[in-house]
Amino acid sequence: MTPARGCGTCRDRRVLCDRAVPVCQRCVQSRRTCSGYGVRLSWPGSKRRTRSKPESALAHARASGPFYKVDWLNTSFADIEMYYDTAYTGPKPMRGGSWGRPNLPLGLPATSWMPFKLDDEQKRLCDYFETAASRSLPTFGYDSKAMCSVILPMAMSDHSASSTAVLLSLLALAALHRDGPQHQAARLKLGALRALEASVLEDSSTKDLLGHVAAGMLLCSYEIQKSTKTSAHWLWYLCGAMTIIKSGHLDRPNQDGNITLLLGWTQYYVTMARFSLRHWMRSDTMEFAFARDVGYHDVMPPVCTRSSIEGLNDAPHKLLDLLGRVIDTVVEDTKPHYHSKDYRQGVEGLESTLTSADSPWRVSQPSPGSTSTGDANSMELFRLTGLVYLGRAAESILRHPTQLDNWISQAFNILAGLEVFRYPLPLLILGCEARTDEQRMMVLGIIDRTLENAPTVSITYVKSMVRFLWVHDDLIDDNRGYLSKLSAAISSSQALPIFI
């Protein structure tokens, strides 16, 4: 059907449009973008004189002021509904659709595999992993280049099944990062799983077990970057890596530096996953089963237990361990355990450790503007994140609102000097404390610049969550039910949010 009117581009140029579909050929020939034939809305101040109105003095002031690019925080029906759910107590049914259980990557049929030399395409993927894809691996306490320097030698060490699994896993991740979810990435991932299966059937040395952990973490990263809305595969790989570490006693003290890097990488993923699972309340999803098995919901015996990775003595990993203990400790004030002496002592002990001047992660003068991984700003913001999260969750026990305000103020002073910040959890916990328009604009600015620099699904989740929580705070001007508020925001997602 021929459109009744010319395309928007030709109408703006005041030239005759040939009204071809889907795009007009006059625009194609003149190398212009055809804006199509749909309805276009005009607003006051636009260039179309037929509908424009004089701009007000306020509009002129905004155009030259700090709020030239305005982000509107809109309240939707879902926000009002969540307000009533959290403002009034009592049992309420969990809303939301249901999803079927995904086909888990377990029990693959036995197939033959042969060690091979890298062909030209595999060499290109390997180079791409080293120069680009490895930088997308989230780490804490060290640069992602250090992680790459550990993984590549493991993949190239020999022709064993475990080394082949690592190699094919990193090639799959590189193919996914470069080309998206195409057939090549899926084929390489399947090859990695088959190599892992073959390796399990053999006698496993410590080197093989480390290869299993590395391959599992690469496949976990693959699933996170693939970002399938209804898949919990990344949790299976992460849980498997953690199980191998504990059952193989890989976290015994005095390990060499390469093993420590691999364990620290896993610890960061596990700690961030625990936070998501702690606040995930959608019982109709696969992820809820993980949260329940970890022990956050008392229904089944734990499978992926809360045991932490030991043998990590440097400051970033000790801080992550402490943050994990905070996440596992805090409970809602409606729980009977909340008012016990043991709970009070546990909360006070965690706060004392986080505020101790002798702690190795304490930073006296963080340098504003630095963006390096594991730098002073990152360490301090993670410490303040733990304090704010603990202080809000146990506010009636700790009872020092002035100190809590000081922690929040310190955090925003550091954030004000950052251009980008790649860690989602501090952005969420500290971002939802923004109360003024200036603070909220600053948080959104950091998020937007981070997404422009390195788009990730985790930072995208944070942006939607902080908006959700700001609306809630504007509707309810108090801090009651802090943990329930976070759970409502996180559980409003279609799938378990990833804060890695």
Side-chain angles (χ1 to χ4, degrees):
M1 180 181 294
T2 303
R5 303 181 64 186
C7 72
T9 303
C10 290
R11 294 208 306 271
D12 289 343
R13 296 175 59 208
R14 297 186 179 181
V15 299
L16 182 63
C17 179
D18 59 17
R19 293 185 288 176
V21 291
V23 294
C24 113
Q25 293 304 305
R26 182 180 288 272
C27 290
V28 173
Q29 293 171 2
S30 61
R31 297 183 179 179
R32 289 180 170 84
T33 300
C34 181
S35 59
Y37 306 97
V39 176
R40 296 194 302 166
L41 300 179
S42 296
W43 303 96
S46 68
K47 295 181 180 180
R48 298 181 67 187
R49 291 175 294 176
T50 56
R51 295 188 182 182
S52 64
K53 297 179 182 179
E55 293 181 303
S56 63
L58 177 60
H60 284 293
R62 284 177 176 172
S64 59
F67 302 109
Y68 175 61
K69 294 182 178 180
V70 177
D71 277 290
W72 295 100
L73 185 62
N74 299 315
T75 302
S76 66
F77 176 79
D79 296 317
I80 301 297
E81 187 179 32
M82 194 274 284
Y83 159 71
Y84 283 108
D85 279 350
T86 55
Y88 300 101
T89 59
K92 307 177 186 68
M94 182 61 67
R95 296 177 174 85
S98 61
W99 296 268
R101 290 178 175 244
N103 295 321
L104 301 177
L106 303 175
L108 291 171
T111 56
S112 61
W113 61 273
M114 291 293 292
F116 49 84
K117 295 182 179 179
L118 298 183
D119 58 30
D120 291 340
E121 173 61 13
Q122 290 164 347
K123 290 178 181 177
R124 285 192 290 270
L125 284 175
C126 200
D127 291 339
Y128 183 83
F129 176 83
E130 184 176 10
T131 58
S134 62
R135 299 178 184 177
S136 67
L137 298 175
T139 58
F140 180 71
Y142 48 88
D143 194 89
S144 58
K145 293 180 180 179
M147 197 69 254
C148 181
S149 67
V150 173
I151 294 174
L152 280 176
M154 295 178 67
M156 304 294 183
S157 61
D158 53 39
H159 294 304
S160 65
S162 59
S163 294
T164 302
V166 177
L167 174 61
L168 293 177
S169 297
L170 72 84
L171 293 178
L173 181 63
L176 178 70
H177 190 275
R178 187 188 66 180
D179 305 322
Q182 302 297 328
H183 174 71
Q184 182 187 32
R187 178 174 54 81
L188 289 166
K189 173 194 167 185
L190 182 59
L193 291 171
R194 288 172 174 166
L196 276 174
E197 184 184 39
S199 179
V200 170
L201 298 176
E202 302 173 352
D203 293 334
S204 297
S205 62
T206 299
K207 170 186 164 300
D208 293 325
L209 293 177
L210 291 171
H212 296 169
V213 173
M217 291 302 298
L218 287 168
L219 292 173
C220 175
S221 302
Y222 176 100
E223 295 296 336
I224 290 174
Q225 294 191 23
K226 187 179 177 183
S227 185
T228 304
K229 294 296 184 181
T230 57
S231 172
H233 288 183
W234 69 277
L235 284 170
W236 283 100
Y237 294 123
L238 182 58
C239 181
M242 185 68 176
T243 301
I244 293 171
I245 289 172
K246 301 305 294 185
S247 61
H249 306 290
L250 299 179
D251 58 342
R252 58 183 179 272
N254 303 320
Q255 296 281 18
D256 65 37
N258 289 344
I259 297 178
T260 299
L261 287 176
L262 187 60
L263 297 180
W265 184 31
T266 308
Q267 184 197 32
Y268 175 66
Y269 276 50
V270 168
T271 305
M272 298 303 104
R274 286 192 183 284
F275 175 81
S276 298
L277 293 170
R278 164 66 181 80
H279 291 283
W280 185 249
M281 299 298 171
R282 301 190 69 158
S283 58
D284 55 352
T285 61
M286 171 65 71
E287 292 89 341
F288 185 83
F290 275 93
R292 177 186 58 198
D293 293 349
V294 170
Y296 293 124
H297 308 292
D298 300 328
V299 179
M300 291 178 60
V303 177
C304 300
T305 61
R306 296 191 189 186
S307 57
S308 61
I309 297 177
E310 302 172 2
L312 299 175
N313 297 317
D314 56 335
H317 298 142
K318 284 186 175 181
L319 181 56
L320 279 178
D321 180 68
L322 185 59
L323 182 59
R325 287 163 53 195
V326 171
I327 294 169
D328 288 344
T329 298
V330 295
V331 296
E332 289 80 359
D333 56 7
T334 57
K335 302 288 185 181
H337 178 60
Y338 183 89
H339 304 283
S340 68
K341 180 180 178 180
D342 290 342
Y343 182 74
R344 176 185 295 273
Q345 291 177 345
V347 167
E348 291 175 346
L350 289 170
E351 183 202 27
S352 176
T353 306
L354 280 167
T355 55
S356 173
D358 298 330
S359 299
W361 51 76
R362 287 302 305 270
V363 179
S364 57
Q365 293 181 343
S367 55
S370 176
T371 58
S372 61
T373 304
D375 63 6
N377 289 327
S378 299
M379 294 281 289
E380 183 68 356
L381 286 174
F382 265 92
R383 185 185 75 88
L384 293 170
T385 294
L387 284 170
V388 171
Y389 182 74
L390 181 66
R392 287 292 188 210
E395 196 161 4
S396 62
I397 293 178
L398 299 177
R399 295 181 181 177
H400 40 54
T402 303
Q403 185 62 58
L404 181 59
D405 291 339
N406 288 338
W407 295 332
I408 296 172
S409 177
Q410 291 174 34
F412 277 98
N413 287 338
I414 298 175
L415 289 172
L418 299 179
E419 283 294 315
V420 297
F421 191 70
R422 62 176 293 183
Y423 296 109
L425 184 60
L427 281 178
L428 174 67
I429 298 301
L430 301 175
C432 70
E433 297 295 333
R435 296 292 183 264
T436 65
D437 290 341
E438 290 80 4
Q439 288 177 333
R440 292 178 176 181
M441 288 291 294
M442 179 181 66
V443 171
L444 289 178
I446 294 174
I447 291 174
D448 288 340
R449 290 191 298 270
T450 303
L451 287 172
E452 291 175 2
N453 181 63
T456 63
V457 64
S458 301
I459 301 298
T460 303
Y461 274 126
V462 170
K463 185 173 184 178
S464 63
M465 293 293 167
V466 294
R467 287 176 173 270
F468 187 101
L469 292 166
W470 288 342
V471 168
H472 177 90
D473 289 337
D474 291 344
L475 291 171
I476 309 176
D477 190 18
D478 62 28
N479 291 313
R480 290 177 295 177
Y482 174 76
L483 295 178
S484 298
K485 179 176 67 175
L486 282 176
S487 297
I490 291 173
S491 300
S492 66
S493 296
Q494 223 181 11
L496 179 72
I498 303 169
F499 298 109
I500 294 175

